[in-house]
Amino acid sequence: MEFFRSTNIDWLGKKWYFLGFSLIFSVAGVLSMCFWHGIPKGVDFKGGSQVKVSFTQQPNEDTIRTSMDRSGIKDATIQRLNGDVPNEVLITLPQQNEASLDASRQAVINALGTNFSTGSFKIEDSYTVGPKAGQQLQQQALLATVYSLLGMLIYLWFRFELIYGVAAVVAVFHDTLITIGAFSLTNKEISLTVIAALLTLIGYSMNDTIVVFDRIREDLLENRRETLAETVNRAINQTLSRTVLTSGLTFLTVLCLFLFGGEVLHPFSFALVVGILIGTYSSIAVAAPMLVAYQEWRSRTKGTAATLPTGKAAKPVVR
């Protein structure tokens, strides 16, 4: 299916608008991470306990909070789950020492017992992560992200050339930074499921970028009289229908997950909604213009024509 025929959009002519858009969202996210909400870590990374409680009737959050305070449980977070069961509440307890972690479930039961009658509530699930385990999970999540980016760089270096790999990795880093910045700006906690969503986005965005790069390389061999900017514009326009179709359908799917998936899937689907939008944008507006900007800079410093390598097995392009 082809949505756009004979499209002739000058994408590279709008590169300063794209740069401004990326700068605004990147800087806003970084400022939020540095001076406002920081990086809001979930229980998976900072340690603590989460206890899911279901009540027979819709509970009053202030009464739950008062129960926690009276029992000496300070800084507990009360979160109502807006899923299929409206009477469920998630109680998050802050980081504790290793010895007291196992007592969290009983502590919540005792605290709720001070204001709610026995039988009016039930502990549905409890989840505890110690401080040391949280730190280890944090390091492993960071290493998984770095290794995935490094693997992509090596693959693209082998498949294309180093500059293609660098441009793609920078674009994906741009996507990850903006997505984490969105979590910081909205103060949504980052959990292990969010890290899984980010790794998924890295693969998705990279695949989108590779499709554009593949077409650029083919067009470089077929249209030798065009300038580099004209060839890149042509390649982006030729892949525009595919990009809109695949990204649009994927976006609709994750948007439904975000709207109707419930509280448990909310952080995961939020990361995918933001990431797919930014990933699709970056494959067109960040990765490809970066290739052109680098080659134009090289041509000015070396006094040669701006062109891109087309692969070790391909013939060199002469302009």
Side-chain angles (χ1 to χ4, degrees):
M1 181 180 295
E2 191 173 357
F3 284 131
F4 307 102
R5 293 184 178 178
S6 304
T7 309
N8 190 26
I9 302 174
D10 181 15
W11 298 98
L12 293 177
K14 300 172 177 58
K15 60 186 176 184
W16 296 114
Y17 297 105
F18 295 142
L19 180 63
F21 178 85
S22 296
L23 275 178
I24 288 172
F25 282 90
S26 300
V27 170
V30 169
L31 288 178
S32 177
M33 286 187 273
C34 293
F35 303 109
W36 194 18
H37 289 139
I39 298 178
K41 301 172 189 170
V43 170
D44 294 335
F45 299 122
K46 65 183 180 184
S49 301
Q50 283 188 331
V51 181
K52 187 165 74 173
V53 186
S54 65
F55 293 83
T56 53
Q57 296 182 342
Q58 188 167 332
N60 185 300
E61 293 180 24
D62 291 335
T63 306
I64 298 174
R65 188 166 288 105
T66 302
S67 301
M68 298 294 121
D69 291 340
R70 284 180 179 174
S71 299
I73 302 175
K74 304 296 182 185
D75 300 326
T77 302
I78 316 296
Q79 183 182 7
R80 189 182 300 278
L81 300 179
N82 298 319
D84 297 333
V85 186
N87 294 340
E88 284 188 344
V89 171
L90 187 66
I91 301 173
T92 303
L93 308 181
Q95 181 177 322
Q96 307 160 60
N97 58 53
E98 298 283 354
S100 61
L101 282 173
D102 292 337
S104 302
R105 178 189 177 95
Q106 189 59 44
V108 170
I109 294 174
N110 295 338
L112 293 176
T114 61
N115 279 301
F116 295 90
S117 61
T118 305
S120 64
F121 65 89
K122 182 174 69 174
I123 304 297
E124 295 287 349
D125 192 15
S126 60
Y127 177 63
T128 300
V129 177
K132 291 181 181 176
Q135 289 178 358
Q136 288 177 353
L137 288 173
Q138 191 174 327
Q139 291 173 356
Q140 289 170 353
L142 181 63
L143 287 176
T145 306
V146 172
Y147 288 155
S148 63
L149 289 175
L150 188 60
M152 296 289 182
L153 175 63
I154 294 172
Y155 168 74
L156 287 176
W157 190 354
F158 177 77
R159 170 92 182 268
F160 295 91
E161 290 286 344
L162 180 59
I163 179 58
Y164 288 90
V166 172
V169 167
V170 170
V172 170
F173 178 77
H174 157 277
D175 304 340
T176 308
L177 180 66
I178 290 181
T179 305
I180 295 177
F183 272 84
S184 179
L185 286 167
T186 54
N187 201 23
K188 294 182 184 296
E189 290 187 345
I190 296 177
S191 61
L192 281 177
T193 55
V194 173
I195 297 299
L198 290 177
L199 293 175
T200 303
L201 289 173
I202 288 175
Y204 182 87
S205 177
M206 193 67 76
N207 180 63
D208 227 21
T209 305
I210 287 173
V211 170
V212 176
F213 283 178
D214 236 352
R215 183 53 62 94
I216 289 174
R217 190 169 60 169
E218 290 174 7
D219 285 356
L220 280 171
L221 292 169
E222 294 175 359
N223 304 287
R224 303 187 176 196
R225 294 187 177 181
E226 290 181 337
T227 65
L228 181 58
E230 289 171 343
T231 302
V232 172
N233 271 330
R234 175 195 293 269
I236 295 174
N237 286 320
Q238 287 173 337
T239 56
L240 194 58
S241 288
R242 179 263 174 203
T243 301
V244 170
L245 186 64
T246 55
S247 298
L249 290 176
T250 309
F251 177 75
L252 287 178
T253 303
V254 297
L255 183 62
C256 290
L257 199 64
F258 175 72
L259 295 176
F260 309 113
E263 195 69 31
V264 175
L265 291 177
H266 190 80
F268 178 79
S269 54
F270 178 74
L272 290 177
V273 166
V274 176
I276 286 176
L277 284 176
I278 297 299
T280 305
Y281 156 81
S282 73
S283 64
I284 295 174
V286 176
M290 191 177 301
L291 290 177
V292 178
Y294 172 75
Q295 291 305 124
E296 287 179 347
W297 171 76
R298 284 196 63 187
S299 70
R300 284 196 300 270
T301 54
K302 294 191 175 183
T304 58
T307 185
L308 278 168
T310 56
K312 293 173 183 175
K315 296 179 180 178
V317 176
V318 179
R319 292 183 179 282

